[in-house]
Amino acid sequence: MSRDRGSRLLGEGIIKGLAETARNFFGSYISKQRLTTVQYPEERIPQDESFRNFPFLVYDGSDPEAGLRCVSCQICEKECPPKCIFIEKSKDKKPDAVGKPQFYPTVFDIDVSVCMSCQICVEVCPFEAIKMDVKYDYPTESRFAALLFDKHQLAKSNDYYHQIHPTEASAVDAALAAEREAAATKAAAAAAKAAAAKPAATAGAPGTATASAATSTVTPPSDTTAGEPR
Amino acid sequence: MSISFLIIAVLIVGSTAAAMGLRNPIHCVLTLSITFGGIAALFLQLGAEFVGLTQIMVYVGAVAILAVFAIMMTQSRRGLMLGTFSRNALVGLLTAVAVFSVLGWAVLSQPVAGVTAAVSPVSVQQIGSSLMHEYVLPLELIGLLLTAALIGAIVIAMERKEDTE
Amino acid sequence: MTQTPDQVFVILKHWLLGYVPTSVHAIASAVLSILPLMVVFPLLFAITTLLERKGLGRIQNRLGPNRTGPMGLWQPLADGIKSLTKEDIVPFTADHIVHFLAPVLLVVAAFLAYAVLPVGRNMALVNLNAGVLFFFAVGSVVELAVFMAGWSSRSKYSMLGAMRAIAQMISYEVPLVLASVVVIMQAGSLSTVDIVERQATYTGIFPHWYVFTPWGFLGFILFMIAATAESNRSPFDLPEGESEIIAGYYIEYSGFKFALFFLGEYLGMFATSGIAITLFLGGWSAPLSVLTFIPSWAWFFLKLLTLICMFIWVRGTLPRLRMDQLMNFAWEFILPMALFNMVIAGLWRFMNPGAVRWFVCAFLILVPMFVLSALLKRKKKLQLRTYSFAE
């Protein structure tokens, strides 16, 4: 400010300003770095790995119906702060990815117009069945119906999960594998014990024994694995 | 009496009547500015370009604006509705009659023969040089008067500021 | 010098007139002269809106509109269709007739100004004896239109905008006229055609444009500043300051009437630029005598586009002034300088031509410039504002 004193001509600052804007004008044609605009629908800024928007349901294997990890325990439905999840539990049981009979959701709806992306459903899910998606643009023609996602829209494969959150997904996979292994060894031990006690029954159903062991042990470690990647 | 003259004359008379008869003062000023424009058109039709354009510049551009400014600054937002007849209508009527009779007398006392003679329009250059040669003293006097008025207006406007301080 | 491209429009008009019966010759001639003006300048308006948005974008390191058509070229068309199809809302308490008439009057007045603009050799619509005066007279009608728009909307914002606009226009009309008086003094004519013809002569290869004289240069600068204020362009866009009074006097207008205001404003800007070109930049004459083979109308529009770009550049650079700064600038700097410039122009007229005259006049212009700058700078001290009416 003090430099401005003195009997300089009026309008010197204006000329300086004009020079600055002229530099901007021509510079924007010469250097691409000046133009920070991203041409949105065609170009997108690469997303951070920890970016999240709305939840989706993970399924193993290739069949979204059969491989759905969700066992319809309805914890997420109860915990959801804005109550945007609606689940209807099945009456019967269906074998899950590893072949154990489980309940499954006949209806699993998430109203994304209500969802606030808090991730609590992911935190509380004991089965690693619900995860956060990264898709953020859902242009629709209707305000309500099109934003109520049903089970089929929500189901995405584990591969997709690996694609959007690689680190987190591999951690989850490792945890699940460890659990299964632990369950398998436990089941094997139990089976060995059972075989020792009652050798005739061993050949009956090793698969069911493994699966039931897995369900009983899966709850406590899953909480920690879900929190880990953050 | 050409058609264009008739149109302009009807416009002037009509808008003047409207300016007197309308109840909203802003409407009155707007119709009055139509009158000013019409008079300017009359001047232009007579070949007096300078006078006609100055008429528009001064009356439409300045006087009408000044009038609306005055009305806008002084009246409430709802808009003051004026009666068509004011209390001193009689005084106004007398003034109007007096002005009209004087003007009428002045016009009628001129020889009528001059109307038919073609008058070459006075160019702007002629007006300018006569202002600067023949009428230079009146011009200077008017300039002085207007400057004095200007300074007076500023002094009046400044007084209030001193009061508030 | 080839005459044909220069006079192509004049020849075309006469050729077309040949097919018209002589009884309606006068009307047909007028229509044929007016029609191009009514087409070309709105078209220029469309181009300018695009140019402005693109240019402002680049100045701010953005891209500007680039979605509609190749490089966003159809943007003006899209804007036009949009404003045409929008609902025309008139406020319930508005004065309907005046509300309707205001944009019409504005556009008519803006178009009238083009009547005296020589856009090329032999291409002025009318050669009025008092052409410059006509221009300013028509320009003063714009004020009335602005007032009508502001008052009839019955909105506080539009009222404030109108009052600001009128105060600003009246203040800057004085320096605008005074800045152009120097040219009239030198040319000895009020006719725009004559003024251009006086400037269209050459010594060597250089033209006699008035902007190349000390008083002409100063006059041009003052004229452009006043013209910016007159056409409500940034940095003098207080009447429509978006952040303060939303859009000023035309806030209550929507759809096509809004577009008309926009059109009127830009037409006003083109017209004042055009008259600045006529008065100071030699109208349609070429900047070098060797360049006269390029048609005169091309030169005019080239100069016009240059001035428009200047307007955009200034808009992209300067922040909006405050009302008191605006008024102080008009009355304390521009007006004294314009008056002084008239004295210099008189001196120029009576001195012998040559380098001495040039330097004496330039010196005499620079002295008050420095004095006024110093005075204004001394006044400019930061202090608490005092309010006379609030509190």
Side-chain angles (χ1 to χ4, degrees):
Chain A
M1 284 302 277
S2 57
R3 278 200 309 126
D4 261 17
R5 297 281 169 83
S7 61
R8 291 207 192 139
L9 265 186
L10 206 67
E12 198 189 317
I14 293 174
I15 291 165
K16 272 187 199 162
L18 286 173
E20 182 61 37
T21 43
R23 207 176 306 132
N24 271 352
F25 181 83
F26 292 110
S28 70
Y29 282 101
I30 296 160
S31 89
K32 281 272 169 274
Q33 279 169 318
R34 280 176 172 273
L35 291 172
T36 50
T37 312
V38 175
Q39 301 278 304
Y40 162 62
E42 296 91 25
E43 271 173 43
R44 285 161 197 242
I45 301 172
Q47 276 163 353
D48 203 77
E49 208 194 308
S50 53
F51 176 77
R52 66 171 195 240
N53 196 25
F54 295 134
F56 71 99
L57 297 174
V58 189
Y59 65 83
D60 291 312
S62 57
D63 182 14
E65 272 301 309
L68 213 58
R69 285 182 188 169
C70 180
V71 299
S72 197
C73 66
Q74 289 174 302
I75 295 174
C76 52
E77 186 184 17
K78 291 187 185 90
E79 291 290 341
C80 179
K83 299 281 173 247
C84 67
I85 304 179
F86 175 75
I87 302 172
E88 242 171 50
K89 198 173 181 174
S90 62
K91 298 277 183 290
D92 58 328
K93 289 191 177 187
K94 254 187 357 192
D96 66 357
V98 287
K100 186 184 177 251
Q102 290 278 26
F103 289 110
Y104 60 92
T106 50
V107 176
F108 195 115
D109 288 344
I110 294 179
D111 189 350
V112 295
S113 63
V114 177
C115 176
M116 62 184 206
S117 311
C118 64
Q119 213 188 4
I120 288 176
C121 50
V122 177
E123 311 276 340
V124 299
C125 181
F127 302 99
E128 311 284 356
I130 190 163
K131 292 290 168 198
M132 297 308 277
D133 203 347
V134 292
K135 191 171 185 290
Y136 51 85
D137 44 348
Y138 294 99
T140 61
E141 282 176 5
S142 71
R143 277 175 65 190
F144 302 109
L147 289 173
L148 182 68
F149 293 170
D150 63 10
K151 198 167 74 171
H152 304 287
Q153 283 163 288
L154 289 169
K156 307 243 169 97
S157 70
N158 196 23
D159 295 338
Y160 174 76
Y161 183 35
H162 269 278
Q163 212 180 316
I164 58 174
H165 299 303
T167 331
E168 193 187 301
S170 23
V172 166
D173 269 12
L176 280 178
E179 274 163 30
R180 269 184 208 134
E181 209 171 302
T185 47
K186 204 176 168 187
K193 221 159 98 183
K198 210 188 274 179
T202 43
T208 46
T210 327
S212 72
T215 33
S216 62
T217 49
V218 91
T219 323
S222 79
D223 257 311
T224 54
T225 47
E228 235 167 38
R230 296 281 117 212
Chain B
M1 278 271 226
S2 60
I3 299 168
S4 54
F5 172 79
L6 271 179
I7 294 170
I8 294 166
V10 167
L11 192 76
I12 290 175
V13 173
S15 61
T16 315
M20 289 188 292
L22 285 174
R23 284 167 55 77
N24 191 326
I26 300 271
H27 286 167
C28 297
V29 176
L30 291 177
T31 43
L32 191 65
S33 54
I34 297 176
T35 312
F36 292 148
I39 292 170
L42 269 189
F43 279 127
L44 288 178
Q45 201 193 14
L46 291 172
E49 278 179 9
F50 185 80
V51 185
L53 294 173
T54 314
Q55 168 87 16
I56 294 180
M57 216 167 147
V58 173
Y59 281 88
V60 180
V63 173
I65 294 288
L66 192 75
V68 290
F69 241 70
I71 294 167
M72 229 159 44
M73 295 286 207
T74 49
Q75 71 169 272
S76 63
R77 267 201 58 73
R78 298 295 313 266
L80 174 75
M81 287 298 173
L82 295 176
T84 309
F85 295 101
S86 68
R87 271 168 301 172
N88 35 20
L90 198 69
V91 182
L93 194 71
L94 279 176
T95 319
V97 167
V99 170
F100 186 80
S101 51
V102 167
L103 281 178
W105 171 75
V107 170
L108 288 177
S109 62
Q110 290 293 312
V112 195
V115 177
T116 47
V119 185
S120 67
V122 183
S123 78
V124 185
Q125 208 149 13
Q126 279 169 289
I127 294 175
S129 52
S130 63
L131 271 180
M132 280 297 158
H133 294 119
E134 284 173 66
Y135 302 103
V136 70
L137 193 67
L139 184 78
E140 295 288 323
L141 277 177
I142 290 171
L144 198 68
L145 189 70
L146 286 177
T147 315
L150 200 70
I151 293 168
I154 291 169
V155 167
I156 291 169
M158 275 172 81
E159 238 171 346
R160 186 170 44 182
K161 212 175 182 183
E162 281 159 18
D163 287 344
T164 52
E165 273 171 5
Chain C
M1 192 168 76
T2 46
Q3 275 297 103
T4 328
D6 188 38
Q7 296 295 305
V8 62
F9 296 112
V10 181
I11 293 165
L12 189 71
K13 182 189 155 188
H14 284 291
W15 178 73
L16 281 174
L17 274 182
Y19 292 93
V20 173
T22 40
S23 55
V24 289
H25 223 274
I27 294 170
S29 166
V31 167
L32 281 176
S33 305
I34 292 165
L35 215 59
L37 288 180
M38 305 265 297
V39 172
V40 167
F41 283 96
L43 216 65
L44 192 66
F45 160 65
I47 294 166
T48 307
T49 51
L50 182 68
L51 204 67
E52 176 148 33
R53 293 174 65 178
K54 280 269 192 195
L56 283 182
R58 287 289 172 171
I59 281 171
Q60 295 155 6
N61 287 325
R62 291 186 289 109
L63 287 168
N66 61 352
R67 289 278 142 182
T68 18
M71 291 161 67
L73 281 177
W74 301 129
Q75 190 65 41
L77 199 71
D79 288 344
I81 293 169
K82 180 195 138 201
S83 60
L84 266 174
T85 50
K86 268 183 124 175
E87 187 189 353
D88 177 31
I89 301 164
V90 180
F92 181 69
T93 50
D95 195 310
H96 289 247
I97 300 167
V98 182
H99 190 83
F100 172 77
L101 283 177
V104 177
L105 182 64
L106 186 78
V107 172
V108 167
F111 267 121
L112 273 179
Y114 290 95
V116 290
L117 221 53
V119 293
R121 189 179 279 117
N122 306 328
M123 277 167 75
L125 187 58
V126 281
N127 182 8
L128 274 186
N129 243 334
V132 181
L133 200 67
F134 173 83
F135 181 85
F136 291 122
V138 167
S140 66
V141 175
V142 171
E143 285 161 33
L144 205 65
V146 165
F147 164 76
M148 283 162 70
W151 175 79
S152 66
S153 300
R154 296 262 170 177
S155 153
K156 287 189 186 80
Y157 291 119
S158 50
M159 193 69 155
L160 278 173
M163 280 167 91
R164 277 186 181 191
I166 294 168
Q168 175 178 330
M169 281 170 152
I170 289 179
S171 300
Y172 276 88
E173 200 165 72
V174 178
L176 189 78
V177 175
L178 285 181
S180 50
V181 161
V182 287
V183 171
I184 295 157
M185 281 165 72
Q186 189 66 27
S189 168
L190 272 170
S191 152
T192 47
V193 177
D194 286 359
I195 288 170
V196 173
E197 259 154 26
R198 297 250 157 113
Q199 295 179 76
T201 51
Y202 299 89
T203 10
I205 57 166
F206 297 108
H208 291 159
W209 293 2
Y210 290 138
V211 75
F212 296 136
T213 57
W215 53 268
F217 184 72
L218 180 65
F220 177 63
I221 301 281
L222 294 175
F223 188 92
M224 286 316 283
I225 292 172
T228 318
E230 214 29 33
S231 50
N232 294 335
R233 293 276 307 180
S234 175
F236 303 106
D237 58 347
L238 285 110
E240 47 205 69
E242 295 87 349
S243 49
E244 307 156 22
I245 47 173
I246 314 172
Y249 49 87
Y250 53 77
I251 176 177
E252 297 293 352
Y253 284 89
S254 62
F256 200 64
K257 284 189 203 153
F258 183 84
L260 278 184
F261 269 103
F262 227 63
L263 176 71
E265 201 155 282
Y266 273 84
L267 285 179
M269 183 180 114
F270 300 155
T272 30
S273 303
I275 212 80
I277 291 165
T278 307
L279 292 177
F280 297 100
L281 298 179
W284 41 256
S285 65
L288 295 171
S289 64
V290 287
L291 291 172
T292 40
F293 64 89
I294 296 171
S296 56
W297 43 269
W299 279 119
F300 180 84
F301 281 101
L302 216 61
K303 287 173 190 174
L304 191 58
L305 272 175
T306 316
L307 281 190
I308 289 168
C309 288
M310 278 298 296
F311 270 121
I312 295 170
W313 188 9
V314 167
R315 180 179 168 184
T317 306
L318 299 177
R320 187 179 301 137
L321 266 72
R322 219 169 48 211
M323 199 68 194
D324 57 331
Q325 292 170 334
L326 180 96
M327 290 297 170
N328 283 350
F329 189 55
W331 296 107
E332 290 179 8
F333 183 75
I334 298 190
L335 191 66
M337 278 315 285
L339 286 172
F340 197 80
N341 201 21
M342 279 165 66
V343 178
I344 302 287
L347 190 68
W348 177 274
R349 181 126 201 205
F350 291 110
M351 278 177 82
N352 292 322
V356 180
R357 175 171 81 160
W358 216 95
F359 282 113
V360 166
C361 287
F363 178 74
L364 281 178
I365 279 173
L366 285 177
V367 168
M369 191 103 168
F370 274 106
V371 171
L372 274 176
S373 311
L375 278 177
L376 279 180
K377 283 225 164 130
R378 190 179 299 167
K379 265 193 72 179
K380 195 174 67 183
K381 265 183 283 175
L382 288 176
Q383 54 186 16
L384 278 176
R385 282 188 71 186
T386 48
Y387 298 93
S388 22
F389 295 108
E391 286 168 50

